[in-house]
Amino acid sequence: MAGTTPGTPRVLRAMNDRAALDLLLEHGPLSRTRIGNLTGLSKPTASQLLARLEAAGLVVVTGTTEGRPGPSAQLYAVNARAAYAAGLDVTPQRIRAAVADITGAVAGEYELPTPGRRADSVVRQVTDALDGAVKAAGITRADVHRLVVGTPGAFDPSTGRLRYASHLPGWHAPALLDELAAALPMPVEYENDVNLVAVAEQRLGAARGHDSFVLLWNEEGLGAALVIGGRLHRGFTGGAGEVGFLPVPGAPLVRQVTKANSGGFQELAGAQALPALARELGIQGVGGGPHARVAAALLARAAEADSGVYGELLDAYATSLATGLASMVAVLDPELVVLSGDVIAAGGEPLRTRVRAELTELAAARPRLVSGTVRSGPVLRGALESALATTRDEVFDTSR
């Protein structure tokens, strides 16, 4: 902690304060005795700690214990109103915004449709979406401690320009981040959308307890998140995980990939590959519409049938996914691979089983392959979790 000396009473008190606050977040309301037992603190020290946190506005009394022998005891909980954090999930079609209180409970949500919007209105779109969520939460912009924005691609740390997302109009202006900073009163962080899905899975889902894993995402585009030693690996330009551009066997070699906004793995296993594959197999009623929606519907039908021509569709698509995964596994040797995104999720366990079998044949390593479990708005949930982590570090620091 900046400005303090390790081992001083102030630092030790701050460490105990943070431990107690984390326990309250994990377990919910606790009595003084229970907090003392979980932290190893004496009753007088636990009482002083709670009095200190209550005076700082970080904890509140929420009731008393009931139904137990002996006198009732006060229960303490984290003060949900101590701070708020916000997240945005940006796509070409819409911006979803949410505000969460310091406990992680979502206090307000809002969705702003953006198809066909003018490219020069990004700042207004962002502020309108945020204001909608803030209003739904019953607070003001000034109450939001931090905002995390999830977008396709990544902002190059050396230039501040968005890369790998040419399909997101208006987000490539040279001064965009400066304009957003001027319009918003809170610190703002920008993160790749698939990286935020990995944050959500690590904090709340299939990757809990894992410090190193790969997450493969497939909706409108293929992407990956790489978590190594507990930290996201973003690469020099922020482009680590842009695996849709990966050249792979079985797909034509794509050149000028940034102009094409596609690559070999995307052409082989992206959502747009499923309708063509289904037609080649003679499947009727493929239909039209957005690639991701059509692909998810096809895989859902295939997973339900799990035989005949639909079984062949699952076999072929599993091979396509495993082809790209094998290259990633060869380089990264992860302990865990998480399959995520609406397209992959629609294939369910029949698809996961086939991908695992194919990956066993194609890769020398044997990572555990699991399906993602954060299914409702994982990008937005990851943005909130990321914003909350930094907010808690700042708000819960009682050493200052």
Side-chain angles (χ1 to χ4, degrees), residues 74-172:
Q74 287 185 322
L75 293 174
Y76 295 85
V78 171
N79 179 9
R81 298 177 63 85
Y84 293 87
L88 265 61
D89 171 15
V90 179
T91 73
Q93 292 77 37
R94 49 95 186 125
I95 299 178
R96 289 178 182 158
V99 172
D101 64 40
I102 196 71
T103 70
V106 175
E109 297 181 82
Y110 185 78
E111 181 168 328
L112 177 71
T114 59
R117 292 292 186 95
R118 289 177 47 145
D120 60 0
S121 64
V122 166
V123 174
R124 178 173 293 179
Q125 291 175 26
V126 168
T127 54
D128 285 353
L130 177 62
D131 286 345
V134 162
K135 181 178 180 181
I139 59 175
T140 68
R141 273 195 212 176
D143 295 317
V144 178
H145 196 87
R146 182 170 295 269
L147 170 66
V148 171
V149 179
T151 69
F155 285 91
D156 189 323
S158 64
T159 65
R161 300 285 296 272
L162 183 66
R163 303 187 65 186
Y164 316 109
S166 60
H167 60 296
L168 197 62
W171 284 79
H172 302 82

Side-chain angles (χ1 to χ4, degrees), residues 32 35 254:
R32 180 200 63 182
I35 290 173
V254 179

Side-chain angles (χ1 to χ4, degrees), residues 16 19-21 23-24 27-54 59-65 68 71-78:
N16 290 334
L21 289 164
L23 287 168
L24 290 171
H27 296 283
L30 296 171
S31 67
R32 180 200 63 182
T33 300
R34 182 63 175 152
I35 290 173
N37 291 339
L38 290 171
T39 59
L41 299 175
S42 65
K43 288 184 179 180
T45 302
S47 295
Q48 293 170 4
L49 177 152
L50 288 168
R52 186 165 60 247
L53 294 179
E54 190 172 11
V59 301
V60 291
V61 176
T62 59
T64 58
T65 56
R68 296 181 180 180
S72 59
Q74 287 185 322
L75 293 174
Y76 295 85
V78 171

Side-chain angles (χ1 to χ4, degrees), residues 1-380:
M1 298 178 184
T4 60
T5 303
T8 64
R10 177 182 293 181
V11 172
L12 295 175
R13 283 196 299 269
M15 292 172 64
N16 290 334
D17 291 349
R18 181 59 192 264
L21 289 164
D22 286 342
L23 287 168
L24 290 171
L25 286 174
E26 180 181 358
H27 296 283
L30 296 171
S31 67
R32 180 200 63 182
T33 300
R34 182 63 175 152
I35 290 173
N37 291 339
L38 290 171
T39 59
L41 299 175
S42 65
K43 288 184 179 180
T45 302
S47 295
Q48 293 170 4
L49 177 152
L50 288 168
R52 186 165 60 247
L53 294 179
E54 190 172 11
L58 296 177
V59 301
V60 291
V61 176
T62 59
T64 58
T65 56
E66 296 180 358
R68 296 181 180 180
S72 59
Q74 287 185 322
L75 293 174
Y76 295 85
V78 171
N79 179 9
R81 298 177 63 85
Y84 293 87
L88 265 61
D89 171 15
V90 179
T91 73
Q93 292 77 37
R94 49 95 186 125
I95 299 178
R96 289 178 182 158
V99 172
D101 64 40
I102 196 71
T103 70
V106 175
E109 297 181 82
Y110 185 78
E111 181 168 328
L112 177 71
T114 59
R117 292 292 186 95
R118 289 177 47 145
D120 60 0
S121 64
V122 166
V123 174
R124 178 173 293 179
Q125 291 175 26
V126 168
T127 54
D128 285 353
L130 177 62
D131 286 345
V134 162
K135 181 178 180 181
I139 59 175
T140 68
R141 273 195 212 176
D143 295 317
V144 178
H145 196 87
R146 182 170 295 269
L147 170 66
V148 171
V149 179
T151 69
F155 285 91
D156 189 323
S158 64
T159 65
R161 300 285 296 272
L162 183 66
R163 303 187 65 186
Y164 316 109
S166 60
H167 60 296
L168 197 62
W171 284 79
H172 302 82
L176 176 62
L177 299 190
D178 291 336
E179 293 172 6
L180 286 168
L184 297 168
M186 75 291 292
V188 184
E189 297 176 14
Y190 300 88
E191 184 60 87
N192 171 263
D193 51 1
V194 183
N195 283 349
L196 291 175
V197 177
V199 170
E201 289 290 351
Q202 188 175 35
R203 301 279 175 81
L204 308 170
R208 288 189 74 172
H210 292 273
D211 286 335
S212 299
F213 65 95
V214 168
L215 181 140
L216 181 67
W217 168 268
N218 194 5
E219 287 198 359
E220 288 296 339
L222 269 173
L226 318 175
V227 179
I228 301 171
R231 302 183 65 178
L232 283 164
H233 175 69
R234 297 177 176 87
F236 180 66
T237 65
E242 294 291 339
V243 296
F245 298 127
L246 187 70
V248 293
L253 191 63
V254 179
R255 300 185 184 275
Q256 301 293 322
V257 294
T258 54
K259 290 183 179 179
N261 199 36
S262 187
F265 196 19
Q266 179 68 38
E267 295 297 312
L268 184 68
Q272 80 278 10
L274 264 298
L277 182 58
R279 293 187 184 100
E280 287 177 12
L281 293 170
I283 294 175
Q284 303 297 313
V286 172
H291 293 311
R293 188 171 66 195
V294 174
L298 279 168
L299 287 174
R301 285 158 56 189
E304 184 177 2
D306 198 13
S307 62
V309 69
Y310 283 113
E312 294 178 35
L313 178 66
L314 290 171
D315 290 340
Y317 189 58
T319 299
S320 297
L321 288 174
T323 299
L325 272 174
S327 296
M328 297 162 61
V329 168
V331 174
L332 298 166
D333 189 21
E335 173 191 5
L336 180 74
V337 173
V338 180
L339 300 178
S340 187
D342 287 348
V343 173
I344 295 177
E349 184 62 15
L351 178 61
R352 189 196 68 85
T353 300
R354 286 168 166 84
V355 174
R356 182 178 61 185
E358 282 292 272
L359 193 59
T360 299
E361 295 289 331
L362 297 175
R366 299 289 185 270
R368 192 157 67 91
L369 196 70
V370 300
S371 298
T373 57
V374 182
R375 296 293 307 279
S376 178
V379 176
L380 187 55

